[in-house]
Amino acid sequence: MSEDFDGSGGYEKTHVDENYVRVPVERLFSFVKSVLVRLGVPEGDASVVADNLVMADLRGVESHGVQRLKRYVDGILSGGVNVHPDIRKVREGPSYALVDGDEGLGQVVGRFSMELAIEKARKAGIGVVVARNSNHYGIAGYYALMAVEHGMIGISMTNSRPLVAPTGGVERFLGTNPIAVAAPTGGRPFLLDMATSVVPIGKLEVYRRKGQEIPLGWAMDKEGRQTTSVEAVFNGGALLPLGGFGELFGGHKGYGLSVMVDILSGLLGGGTWSRHVKNTSERHSEVDHFFMAVDVEAFVPLDDFRRRMDEMMAELKASKRHPDFERIWVHGEKGFLTMETRRRIGVPIYVGVLEELNGIGEEVGVGRLMELEG
Ligand code: NDP
């Protein structure tokens, strides 16, 4: 197992080499926010989107960080995203609500909906909010963690455009439909945040920028052959669903989880399923989300829960290790450690992404993010 340390004692989840530049977190955040504000996004909403994208880079999720800003910019410029949405409750009960996102930025619809789920859980013990008519909302974990700040368990899911073939199929049908579950502990929260495909498409975008081949087992070409070529995947191929190690056509478990996400986030709210979801730059992209907050105190005292979570995680980490591994991790831990390091020494941005961000800055008139040294 290879792990990357920054040389100053901090841990980083992903490999950072000379092709990356470090950008202070505040600078990165204000750049993203000012680009969005310049495009007409209200300040508060721009902060939410910037927070979500920068959190992804801080946590080592390069696939869903600021490298995605261009996509949001294109979505706004093409009119696919409504920057002044009328986000409203369509139906509501004490513990649930259905929200219409009015084609707003997914992060803005997502934050609104998770805040509503938390408010409901505070009164009813549990809050479920389904949002339809939204857009790409970035990392699912962002919303699950919001519940943890209130001593609650948070769950968040979204459907996304079709990129994944079902087990036994070759056609892009399912989205990479992520699932995030977060729970409070005495320290860093537990956070499982994952695509239901072997990898999200953003990871292939990172490989494409770097001109690298992908490992076998991630995707197939349009004929259904496993491939290491990123271009073969972008050119009509499909990603494989998670699980089913060794199965040519991907795992039936990831396939099932992906369909579950479509049911809970799409069909339950009268929205759609991945096959009919479109790109952010298109009108009516029809992305749907699911949010759930569970108030721990409604079940057991929160302090007891936190203590027992700590005990379980400590037991997990102290359990007998395989000789090839240096340690046993729990979900979210690598991301939080990476976040702590990057807040201190800066967020690594790949040079190709920096060039693109500088171009966006010039184009919209907020200036360049940063110059390459030397
Ligand atoms: P990863 O495979 O990187 O990580 C999945 C989970 O496993 C994380 O919770 C991670 O925690 C944890 N983890 C990693 N290694 C270990 C280990 N050795 N032991 C225990 N836990 C571990 O995630 P994906 O690439 O699948 O997804 C990346 C992001 O993409 C997610 O944030 C997801 O929400 C987002 N996404 C968004 C989509 C959208 O349409 N909006 C679509 C698809 C994905 P840790 O953070 O600590 O590493």
Side-chain angles (χ1 to χ4, degrees), residues 151 153 183-185 296 300-310:
I153 293 171
T185 69
V296 172
V300 287
L302 180 58
D303 284 346
D304 285 0
F305 180 83
R306 289 189 194 278
R307 187 179 43 75
R308 301 195 68 224
M309 281 293 294
D310 288 347

Side-chain angles (χ1 to χ4, degrees), residues 77-358:
L77 291 176
S78 70
V81 171
N82 179 1
V83 292
H84 294 289
D86 173 20
I87 303 171
R88 64 195 169 86
K89 291 181 254 179
V90 178
R91 296 172 70 99
E92 175 172 33
S95 60
Y96 69 89
L98 172 61
V99 164
D100 189 303
D102 194 23
E103 299 190 51
L105 284 154
Q107 285 86 348
V108 177
V109 179
R111 194 162 179 101
F112 173 95
S113 304
M114 193 44 149
E115 276 169 358
L116 186 56
I118 292 166
E119 191 186 310
K120 299 220 171 258
R122 196 171 288 122
K123 293 180 192 141
I126 195 162
V128 171
V129 175
V130 177
R132 67 185 185 208
N133 207 10
S134 181
N135 273 294
H136 190 271
Y137 81 174
I139 54 170
Y142 181 82
Y143 313 94
L145 283 174
M146 283 171 63
V148 170
E149 286 168 28
H150 298 267
M152 298 180 187
I153 293 171
I155 300 178
S156 163
M157 304 173 204
T158 183
N159 58 17
S160 59
R161 70 197 161 101
L163 291 164
V164 184
T167 307
V170 288
E171 187 185 327
R172 294 174 172 192
F173 190 109
L174 309 162
T176 52
N177 297 2
I179 301 172
V181 181
T185 69
R188 300 180 187 102
F190 168 86
L191 174 63
L192 166 67
D193 182 13
M194 54 167 235
T196 49
S197 43
V198 178
V199 286
I201 193 72
K203 209 154 196 171
L204 270 71
E205 290 163 7
V206 173
Y207 274 69
R208 189 185 214 180
R209 270 188 208 279
K210 297 181 179 174
Q212 292 172 347
E213 295 205 320
I214 54 168
L216 270 183
W218 283 12
M220 60 170 83
D221 65 17
K222 63 180 176 200
E223 318 294 347
R225 293 172 301 224
Q226 287 228 23
T227 184
T228 59
S229 158
V230 181
E231 293 315 319
V233 185
F234 281 105
N235 186 20
L239 297 173
L240 299 178
L242 183 67
F245 178 73
E247 283 186 45
L248 179 58
F249 296 110
H252 55 285
K253 299 182 194 181
Y255 165 24
L257 286 172
S258 183
V259 174
M260 177 195 83
V261 173
D262 269 329
I263 294 169
L264 290 174
S265 57
L267 280 86
L268 180 61
T272 189
W273 52 97
S274 302
R275 189 185 210 183
H276 305 288
V277 170
K278 296 178 216 65
N279 256 321
T280 310
S281 52
E282 293 175 65
R283 282 300 308 275
H284 311 302
S285 63
E286 294 195 73
V287 177
D288 311 298
H289 321 301
F290 174 91
F291 305 93
M292 184 166 167
V294 180
D295 189 5
V296 172
E297 276 284 353
F299 293 81
V300 287
L302 180 58
D303 284 346
D304 285 0
F305 180 83
R306 289 189 194 278
R307 187 179 43 75
R308 301 195 68 224
M309 281 293 294
D310 288 347
E311 261 175 49
M312 179 176 71
M313 302 217 318
E315 276 185 21
L316 268 170
K317 288 161 70 64
S319 62
K320 193 163 182 200
R321 211 171 13 92
H322 189 284
D324 292 353
F325 285 74
E326 284 168 28
R327 58 187 283 185
I328 293 170
W329 296 88
V330 289
H331 298 79
E333 195 184 6
K334 291 185 189 189
F336 283 111
L337 287 175
T338 304
M339 205 166 184
E340 285 157 23
T341 302
R342 292 182 176 179
R343 280 198 190 287
R344 190 162 44 81
I345 64 169
V347 183
I349 301 294
Y350 185 65
V351 286
V353 174
L354 180 67
E355 275 167 33
E356 188 173 284
L357 294 176
N358 281 337

Side-chain angles (χ1 to χ4, degrees), residues 7-45:
S8 64
Y11 170 82
E12 291 196 275
K13 177 178 167 178
T14 54
H15 182 69
V16 179
D17 59 20
E18 65 285 358
N19 294 313
Y20 285 80
V21 286
R22 296 270 174 191
V23 181
V25 63
E26 300 77 17
R27 186 160 171 182
L28 191 60
F29 174 86
S30 2
F31 175 81
V32 174
K33 181 179 168 186
S34 53
V35 165
L36 295 167
V37 167
R38 189 54 75 98
L39 293 173
V41 178
E43 285 235 358
D45 292 356

Side-chain angles (χ1 to χ4, degrees), residues 355-367:
E355 275 167 33
E356 188 173 284
L357 294 176
N358 281 337
I360 294 173
E362 281 180 343
E363 204 180 310
V364 307
V366 299

